[in-house]
């Protein structure tokens, strides 16, 4: 079984960012369907995607829905980008293991391949 952590850093303010988040979620969906251990962690400006993707009329909503159980977000960044309360309402886990951020070192130490978008 593969262990994969996909980091979404892309901002939701651009068309390019939409391509990156869609590709990240498509990759996560493939790993999830294969029963691999996959996590999608939204960090930095990437945290702004979660409230948008949760909207049923968003073009990437189906990918959001398909990957629902593997989505996580950086607690510090969610707060800094003003979306922490919205993410909490979505019941997406907020990570804060290292200085308020997810610990990338712990992921690597646990054998996760880290992919960034």
């Amino acid at each position: 079984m593969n262990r994969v952590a996909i980091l979404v850093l892309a901002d939701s303010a651009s068309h390019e960012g939409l391509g990156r988040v869609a590709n990240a979620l498509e990759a996560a969906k493939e790993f999830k369907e294969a029963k691999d251990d996959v996590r999608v962690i939204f960090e930095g400006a990437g945290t702004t995607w979660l409230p948008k993707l949760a909207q049923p009329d968003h073009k990437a909503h189906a990918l959001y829905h398909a990957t629902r159980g593997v989505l996580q977000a950086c607690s510090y960044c969610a707060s800094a980008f003003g979306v922490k309360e919205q993410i909490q309402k979505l019941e997406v886990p907020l990570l804060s293991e290292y200085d308020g951020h997810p610990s990338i070192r712990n992921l690597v130490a646990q054998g996760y391949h880290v992919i960034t978008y």
Side-chain angles (χ1 to χ4, degrees), residues 10 15 21-23 26 32 34 51-52 63 94 96 99 103 110:
H15 184 69
V21 77
N23 281 294
E26 188 68 32
K32 184 178 177 186
K52 293 179 182 211
L63 286 170
L94 291 164
S96 59
D99 288 343
S103 174
Q110 293 169 16

Side-chain angles (χ1 to χ4, degrees), residues 5 18-19 24 34 37 42 46 60-61 63 65 71 78 84 87 96:
L18 174 60
D37 182 356
F42 291 81
H61 179 74
L63 286 170
H65 184 70
L71 306 179
K84 188 171 186 173
I87 291 172
S96 59

